[in-house]
Amino acid sequence: MADGPLVGVVLVSHSGPVAEAVAALAVGLAGGGTTAPVAAAGGTADGGLGTSAELISAAASRVDGGAGVAVLTDLGSAVLTVKALIAEGDELPYGTRLVDAPFVEGAVAAVVSASAGADLAAVEAAAAEAYTYRKV
């Protein structure tokens, strides 16, 4: 277990319910004990489908404890929105990283590794490794 702050994880989906469900799944599978801070940023502020820069920024701020923030996304424009926020330079906490990983499997790997005290690079690597999981 880490002595310091844990890496935060933000899950960005075009759908609020999808982001919330994946966050709940990842936290649930992380098992007991201390769980890394996780926030869902799904849909638009009015509950519609899409992505919201404001919701993403707010979610990143909520999970930022100083160890970095890993952001996982579902579809293309979510990626573009996060990239734009990172490019702005002051819209997301310092150390925020867009992680290239499958949304569900990557989220579980990210939350489990962050909860175990992994640093941001290790959280990113664990999430990205989920691309190699074979199901059949």
Side-chain angles (χ1 to χ4, degrees):
M1 181 46 73
D3 293 330
L6 299 173
V7 171
V9 178
V10 174
L11 303 172
V12 180
S13 171
H14 282 68
S15 163
V18 168
E20 293 288 344
V22 172
L25 175 67
V27 168
L29 293 178
T34 302
T35 302
V38 179
T44 59
D46 64 359
L49 296 176
T51 56
S52 163
E54 292 79 18
L55 291 178
I56 296 166
S57 292
S61 293
R62 283 195 308 275
V63 302
D64 179 32
V69 176
V71 180
L72 286 82
T73 66
D74 60 358
L75 304 170
S77 66
V79 174
L80 296 175
T81 302
V82 174
K83 282 183 174 179
L85 289 169
I86 290 172
E88 289 291 325
D90 61 352
E91 298 295 323
L92 297 173
Y94 177 78
T96 297
R97 194 173 298 176
L98 174 60
V99 176
D100 184 14
F103 192 59
V104 175
E105 293 89 342
V108 172
V111 173
V112 168
S113 61
S115 297
D119 66 15
L120 183 57
V123 169
E124 180 178 27
E129 186 179 329
Y131 272 131
T132 65
Y133 300 165
R134 303 294 307 176
K135 296 178 183 173
V136 179

